[in-house]
Amino acid sequence: MALLLTMLFSVTSVAFAQAPVGKFKDYAVDGSKVTVFGETGRVEITAYGETIVKVLSLPDGTTGQERRSVSVVLEPDGEFSVDEFEAELLLKTDQFSVSVDKSDCSLKFYSAFGQLMLEEARPMDNASEEKTACFVANSRDEAYFGGGYNSKKVN
């Protein structure tokens, strides 16, 4: 059975003179959401179910109030188990896991079998005028959804 992992990425449009989230400092769990705090911002990772995750990157100084989605009608209904290691924070459901690299808060997404499904080429930029999420190309013909009005091929 193939796993369909839907990821919704969002970055704020608030202009701050900061780099991406930066080096990992701490994390907090609040129900379905894990907030990862970095040197210059934070990443909120919310489990909407066993195969749906939403990622929101915010620079320091923002309240975190995001624009209501017109495409996501679900309420968060998933739950992560969280394991902290020296080099990463690992968030897991029964169907996938999200690895947060502590050196720069970049993200990698794995199937339940440990297969790398999606990897950031560089951490999300939540501070520049043009907000970006950039992914490493892979050999599978798969796509991610989110990051604005259009879906993009990962390869």
Side-chain angles (χ1 to χ4, degrees):
M1 174 174 31
L3 168 68
L4 170 64
L5 177 62
T6 305
M7 291 165 281
L8 307 166
F9 291 89
S10 179
V11 289
T12 64
S13 58
V14 179
F16 283 83
Q18 300 168 334
V21 175
K23 188 176 178 180
F24 175 90
K25 288 172 52 178
D26 200 4
Y27 75 96
V29 179
D30 182 13
S32 315
K33 178 170 65 176
V34 176
T35 302
V36 176
F37 300 95
E39 294 172 317
T40 60
R42 67 187 183 276
V43 178
E44 296 177 356
I45 305 166
T46 306
Y48 276 78
E50 287 297 312
T51 61
I52 301 173
V53 63
K54 179 178 181 179
V55 178
L56 177 65
S57 179
L58 298 158
D60 275 346
T62 58
T63 62
Q65 200 60 23
E66 62 185 286
R67 179 178 61 125
R68 181 166 168 74
S69 174
V70 295
S71 59
V72 178
V73 295
L74 295 173
E75 293 296 323
D77 191 30
E79 189 173 316
F80 289 114
S81 65
V82 181
D83 293 311
E84 185 172 4
F85 301 98
E86 185 175 331
E88 73 174 337
L89 185 69
L90 189 62
L91 317 176
K92 294 171 71 173
T93 72
D94 289 340
Q95 297 295 315
F96 71 95
S97 62
V98 181
S99 172
V100 181
D101 186 318
K102 286 186 169 183
S103 68
D104 61 6
C105 289
S106 62
L107 306 176
K108 292 181 183 176
F109 299 86
Y110 294 90
S111 73
F113 306 108
Q115 177 184 15
L116 180 64
M117 297 170 57
L118 187 63
E119 175 182 3
E120 286 187 290
R122 59 183 178 270
M124 282 183 279
D125 182 351
N126 62 18
S128 300
E129 188 172 325
E130 182 177 317
K131 313 301 182 233
T132 59
C134 184
F135 299 93
V136 173
N138 64 35
S139 60
R140 298 179 313 274
D141 188 25
E142 296 178 351
Y144 72 89
F145 298 92
Y149 295 104
N150 302 305
S151 65
K152 303 285 184 186
K153 289 281 190 186
V154 290
N155 59 347

